[in-house]
Amino acid sequence: MEASFLKDPITSAAYQVEKTSNKYLPDSAGQYNNYITKSKQIRLGQKITDTVKGKLSMGARILQVGGVEKVFKELFSVREGEKLLKTFQCYLSTTSGPIAGLLFISTHKVAFCSERSIKISSAKGELIRFHYKILIPLEKIKFVNQRENVKKPSQKYIKIVTVDDFDFWFMGFLNYRKAFKYLQWAVSQA
């Protein structure tokens, strides 16, 4: 099953999509009703300058909050004894295009949070802004796989498939092999 979660109601028991507190990611705002609609407004900056600005903005927010581990703890519920293993900048592939953000790998979960807030229209026609977040408990991951673009072998992807057959595709890692190894190790320990 391809990641179609941007156009369909969320029905998976294996992951959660949560709203983000305005306190820790300052540009998020508004409410979010657990129904995500396909939106042409979800785009990665077309120019390299937009991408660089986004990366710098994310870095500034991480410093403002007090580091990556604190960001992780504030964005996602952390169990007692849970440790953040590694964080990677990457893109989540969606039907509306890639979403830049951070992939967190911990001893209990894999989580993703977009670096910029996303705009969608609510059922009432109001514009809502929120950070796109995914949380997948390690015990709900069926497998982690690696893929590459046949026409462009330098474009590598990491595919996470959950026990209820939802799949999530991540790409654009600075160190693809390291990210894949951390994911494989974390899932093997679950």
Side-chain angles (χ1 to χ4, degrees):
M1 176 183 295
E2 190 168 323
S4 61
F5 45 87
L6 282 179
K7 63 182 179 180
D8 299 326
I10 305 227
T11 58
S12 173
Y15 68 93
Q16 300 173 26
V17 177
E18 303 172 352
K19 72 177 181 178
T20 301
S21 165
N22 292 341
K23 181 177 175 185
Y24 289 98
L25 293 171
D27 65 337
S28 65
Q31 295 294 311
Y32 164 63
N33 63 2
N34 278 350
Y35 187 81
I36 301 173
T37 58
K38 186 172 179 180
S39 170
K40 293 189 191 294
Q41 297 168 332
I42 300 172
R43 294 208 173 118
L44 179 66
Q46 296 298 317
K47 299 178 183 174
I48 189 70
T49 55
D50 291 342
T51 302
V52 171
K53 285 179 189 176
K55 300 287 182 209
L56 292 173
S57 174
M58 177 61 91
R61 286 195 300 258
I62 289 170
L63 289 174
Q64 180 182 14
V65 171
V68 174
E69 193 161 339
K70 190 163 183 179
V71 169
F72 173 69
K73 288 179 179 178
E74 297 299 333
L75 289 174
F76 302 99
S77 301
V78 176
R79 298 180 195 172
E80 188 173 326
E82 181 176 0
K83 300 209 182 309
L84 179 63
L85 300 173
K86 196 71 177 164
T87 304
F88 296 94
Q89 282 191 317
C90 65
Y91 298 91
L92 171 67
S93 179
T94 71
T95 55
S96 296
I99 298 175
L102 292 176
L103 182 69
F104 300 92
I105 303 169
S106 82
T107 53
H108 289 83
K109 67 176 76 70
V110 173
F112 175 86
C113 183
S114 63
E115 70 181 38
R116 294 181 180 205
S117 58
I118 296 169
K119 295 181 236 177
I120 64 168
S121 295
S122 71
K124 296 179 182 178
E126 300 167 341
L127 195 58
I128 300 170
R129 294 176 62 95
F130 65 95
H131 281 270
Y132 195 88
K133 292 171 52 176
I134 296 172
L135 184 152
I136 311 169
L138 292 177
E139 64 271 11
K140 298 290 185 179
I141 296 176
K142 188 188 295 185
F143 63 87
V144 177
N145 213 336
Q146 53 187 335
R147 297 276 189 252
E148 66 181 39
N149 185 327
V150 177
K151 294 179 182 176
K152 294 182 182 178
S154 63
Q155 290 183 349
K156 299 189 183 309
Y157 304 89
I158 294 176
K159 177 182 177 182
I160 298 175
V161 178
T162 62
V163 294
D164 57 354
D165 291 324
F166 278 82
D167 56 329
F168 300 90
W169 292 78
F170 298 93
M171 59 190 182
F173 292 93
L174 292 175
N175 191 333
Y176 167 81
R177 282 190 206 120
K178 191 173 186 178
F180 184 69
K181 284 182 181 183
Y182 268 94
L183 280 166
Q184 276 188 313
W185 184 85
V187 170
S188 74
Q189 300 302 305

